[in-house]
């Protein structure tokens, strides 16, 4: 335990983003457990709109950093942090830097069952959840 804390303090150059990723992922997971998504959607952005296809190189650098941090943190949480939690966490971190994103919600049939998926795009970069290939876009939200 002490080694993890020591490594976090001495080797992690993205402490702020790491801590906020952990907090946001827990917050979004709790919201999704307690509140129906249809009531939460108004906080996810403008429904039906998309962000621009091109961004500046610095924006991409920060988005890649956020992607790496969110995926690392969400894979280690004690709660379930699947695609929607990851996408909302990354969206919140990018929004704090006034970076525009599009959150996509999609679904597909897999082995006779409906499977839902969420992914986040910033410019040409897919930040979380891959590129959504094979999923039909059900809704999208712009921030």
């Amino acid at each position: 335990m002490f080694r993890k804390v020591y490594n976090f303090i001495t080797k992690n150059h993205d402490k702020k983003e790491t801590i906020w990723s952990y907090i946001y992922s827990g917050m979004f997971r709790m919201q999704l457990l307690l509140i129906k998504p249809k009531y939460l959607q108004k906080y996810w952005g403008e429904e039906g709109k998309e962000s621009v296809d091109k961004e500046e190189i610095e924006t991409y650098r920060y988005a890649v950093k956020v992607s790496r941090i969110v995926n690392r943190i969400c894979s280690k949480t004690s709660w379930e942090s699947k695609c929607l939690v990851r996408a909302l966490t990354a969206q919140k971190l990018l929004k704090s830097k006034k970076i525009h994103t599009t959150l996509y919600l999609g679904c597909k049939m897999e082995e006779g069952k409906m499977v839902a998926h969420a992914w986040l795009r910033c410019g040409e970069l897919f930040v979380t959840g891959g590129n959504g290939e094979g999923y039909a876009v059900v809704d999208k939200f712009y921030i």
Side-chain angles (χ1 to χ4, degrees):
M1 175 71 171
F2 292 113
R3 179 173 289 192
K4 287 183 180 183
V5 172
Y6 175 79
N7 285 339
F8 178 77
I9 292 169
T10 59
K11 296 180 181 175
N12 187 344
H13 302 291
D14 305 313
K15 291 176 187 71
K16 180 180 166 190
E17 288 87 355
T18 302
I19 291 168
W20 280 113
S21 291
Y22 192 79
I23 292 168
Y24 289 146
S25 66
M27 180 183 75
F28 289 125
R29 179 61 182 150
M30 187 173 62
Q31 284 179 350
L32 290 169
L33 284 172
L34 299 175
I35 305 169
K36 292 181 181 180
K38 70 179 183 178
Y39 298 115
L40 295 172
Q41 288 180 355
K42 63 184 172 187
Y43 302 107
W44 297 349
E46 286 186 62
E47 190 172 2
K49 291 191 173 185
E50 289 191 73
S51 58
V52 296
D53 290 337
K54 299 273 186 194
E55 288 287 349
E56 295 180 20
I57 192 72
E58 290 302 316
T59 301
Y60 286 127
R61 284 188 182 132
Y62 187 73
V64 166
K65 180 167 86 169
V66 166
S67 175
R68 182 179 42 82
I69 291 168
V70 167
N71 286 316
R72 185 180 73 227
I73 293 302
C74 287
S75 66
K76 295 179 181 181
T77 58
S78 56
W79 54 85
E80 192 174 63
S81 297
K82 290 193 175 182
C83 57
L84 185 55
V85 171
R86 290 175 189 224
L88 291 170
T89 300
Q91 181 189 51
K92 185 79 170 172
L93 287 171
L94 292 169
K95 182 183 174 187
S96 71
K97 296 287 186 182
K98 295 183 173 63
I99 296 174
H100 298 287
T101 59
T102 303
L103 170 68
Y104 295 94
L105 303 177
C107 63
K108 72 176 180 179
M109 292 299 289
E110 194 171 89
E111 298 177 11
K113 293 182 180 178
M114 182 76 71
V115 178
H117 186 50
W119 62 99
L120 187 71
R121 180 182 63 79
C122 173
E124 297 175 336
L125 175 71
F126 290 96
V127 182
T128 63
N131 62 3
E133 187 175 327
Y135 290 89
V137 175
V138 175
D139 213 345
K140 52 190 167 191
F141 300 89
Y142 164 75
I143 282 192

